[in-house]
Amino acid sequence: MPAERTPLRARMTARAVDEPHRTASPLELLFDLTLVVAVAAATAELAHSIEDGHLADGVVPFLEVFFAIWWAWMNFTWFASSYATDDVAYRLLTMVQMGGVLVIAAGIPEAAKHSDFRWVALGYVIMRLALVAQWLRAAAEDPTRRRTALRYAIGIAVAQVGWVLSLVLTGGPNPPVFLVLVVLELSVPLWAERTYPTNWHPHHIAERYGLFTLILLGESVLAATRGVQNALAAGEFSGSLLVVAGAGLVLLFALWWFYFQHPAGECLSQRRNQSYRWGYGHYGVFASLAALGAGLEVAVQTGHEMEVSPVTVGYSVSVPAAAFIVLLWAVHKPIEVDRVIHPALILCAGAVLAVVPLTAEQIGVPAVVVVTAAVCSLVAVVAGQPVGSSPGVTKPHS
């Protein structure tokens, strides 16, 4: 059959919330690929901060830049779930947003090293203004949700004015001002959706979040590989490198297992009112997964001399892993009907991961990574057991 032509113009109306076989489009997948560049840049700069013994100085810029990446992705994803027309105009505006991501990626090194956020801010504003244009189009072509779309457009535009003024007046994201603007950005959907909720598709949203998780897992693999390459280039091939690399792979596999243990699509369809907590909570889930890549990149290089202490390296791996499992459990708890994992297990796992790096001077960084991987693997396996059962025991049918 001949391929369908992309329409020059299609009416932008709300898509059905129960649209069958709704999956991510090729355009959405292409958009995600641009994020790979930005996330890789942010992860690499955080790894450099850890290596140089400046972890505290690197964390805040990392979280700020990652917010710009995540929030722009979030808004594109939820808008596309409701209004993706896939005509020429929609595709071109999406391309503009992709260009904004690449500008952000280009500006990340300067932001991390010199606190120069001009290019990051420019890329962010480009993305957001392109989304304003999308919302204005939705307002013009979907009368039922016109007020909602206009609120989105106005709220996003006001926030961009705030970011630009902050940059001009203070030269960068002053922490208190940054937090105020973040609250403003996060408040826009809450305010806009009060009039007439948009028709986001729960299974589509769950798939999109899963795809972003896979991107971040891939970035962690890439970061760890960079660390192995650096170690080999320095002639530091050793048993410790093999242990950390192997345990790191097990760790990432366990976190993948844990995330995809319980698909969220059906739960979101039953509890749409919990979507904000679930969607916003993923900032911490995603940021911790990206930070883990930086930690692994440094951990595999522990065989050669670095400015950072073993305890700090251990924490750069265990803390992101602990944050991932605790936050993922927290965001899924409100939407899942039956919890299959007791909170005590999550809290105990987090406590173990918080303490183990303190012994890094005695047992070594490789052992810390091994313990972290073992704890996360246990959580992943137990989380998959049927309610009321234990590993290896199948719950009988009634």
Side-chain angles (χ1 to χ4, degrees):
M1 295 177 60
E4 292 185 8
R5 292 183 178 180
T6 302
L8 181 63
R9 181 65 178 263
R11 187 177 181 83
M12 183 172 275
T13 55
R15 300 180 67 156
V17 297
D18 57 352
E19 181 180 336
H21 312 299
R22 180 73 190 279
T23 58
S25 69
L27 180 61
E28 289 174 301
L29 300 179
L30 180 61
F31 178 89
D32 287 356
L33 286 178
T34 61
L35 293 172
V36 172
V37 181
V39 173
T43 301
E45 293 302 327
L46 179 60
H48 293 328
S49 297
I50 299 172
E51 291 174 7
D52 296 339
H54 301 139
L55 175 60
D57 296 331
V59 168
V60 172
F62 168 78
L63 293 176
E64 291 173 341
V65 168
F66 194 83
F67 174 81
I69 298 169
W70 166 78
W71 187 240
W73 173 86
M74 272 267 296
N75 281 251
F76 167 78
T77 295
W78 289 77
F79 179 87
S81 191
S82 302
Y83 284 109
T85 58
D86 201 31
D87 59 5
V88 171
Y90 179 84
R91 288 187 174 191
L92 291 178
L93 283 171
T94 299
M95 184 184 68
V96 173
Q97 294 179 74
M98 292 166 59
V101 175
L102 297 178
V103 174
I104 290 175
I108 286 175
E110 287 299 309
K113 296 174 184 176
H114 307 296
S115 297
D116 183 354
F117 286 83
R118 288 177 296 175
W119 289 103
V120 171
L122 175 62
Y124 182 76
V125 170
I126 289 172
M127 293 189 68
R128 304 297 280 152
L129 292 182
L131 187 63
V132 168
Q134 296 278 39
W135 279 116
L136 290 175
R137 180 184 172 190
E141 300 180 15
D142 184 10
T144 303
R145 295 167 181 79
R146 180 165 295 157
R147 288 185 61 195
T148 301
L150 287 175
R151 283 192 174 194
Y152 268 111
I154 293 170
I156 295 171
V158 169
Q160 302 327 293
V161 172
W163 289 114
V164 172
L165 289 177
S166 169
L167 191 66
V168 171
L169 297 178
T170 66
N174 180 273
V177 176
F178 178 83
L179 291 176
V180 169
L181 291 172
V182 165
V183 171
L184 175 59
E185 290 273 20
L186 296 177
S187 300
V188 171
L190 294 169
W191 173 59
E193 297 278 339
R194 285 183 178 180
T195 55
Y196 202 112
T198 52
N199 278 20
W200 54 271
H201 194 291
H203 293 280
H204 174 253
I205 287 294
E207 182 194 23
R208 297 290 291 120
Y209 273 67
L211 290 171
F212 196 45
T213 300
L214 291 175
I215 286 175
L216 294 171
L217 286 168
E219 288 295 340
S220 294
V221 172
L222 174 62
T225 302
R226 282 198 303 262
V228 172
Q229 290 172 340
N230 292 338
L232 294 178
E236 298 291 346
F237 182 82
S238 64
S240 296
L241 185 151
L242 291 176
V243 171
V244 174
L249 179 60
V250 172
L251 172 59
L252 294 175
F253 190 80
L255 298 183
W256 164 83
W257 190 326
F258 186 46
Y259 188 92
F260 291 98
Q261 195 74 260
H262 305 287
E266 190 60 35
C267 295
L268 284 172
S269 66
Q270 296 173 3
R271 289 173 168 75
R272 293 177 70 90
N273 62 320
Q274 296 292 339
S275 61
Y276 289 105
R277 185 183 301 184
W278 185 87
Y280 285 9
H282 268 74
Y283 168 74
V285 174
F286 290 156
S288 61
L289 200 52
L292 177 60
L296 288 174
E297 180 174 349
V298 178
V300 295
Q301 302 178 70
T302 52
H304 67 275
E305 192 172 325
M306 290 188 294
E307 300 292 332
V308 62
S309 70
V311 173
T312 300
V313 177
Y315 271 119
S316 70
V317 174
S318 69
V319 168
F324 180 86
I325 61 175
V326 172
L327 292 174
L328 183 60
W329 172 83
V331 299
H332 273 277
K333 186 178 184 298
I335 68 170
E336 291 194 8
V337 179
D338 298 312
R339 292 302 305 168
V340 297
I341 182 170
H342 198 280
L345 175 63
I346 297 294
L347 295 177
C348 287
V352 171
L353 295 179
V355 172
V356 168
L358 295 175
T359 65
E361 295 279 3
Q362 291 74 38
I363 67 176
V365 170
V368 172
V369 180
V370 169
V371 172
T372 302
V375 170
C376 292
S377 298
L378 175 64
V379 172
V381 171
V382 173
Q385 299 305 310
V387 178
S389 72
S390 57
V393 179
T394 302
K395 186 177 180 180
H397 294 287
S398 58

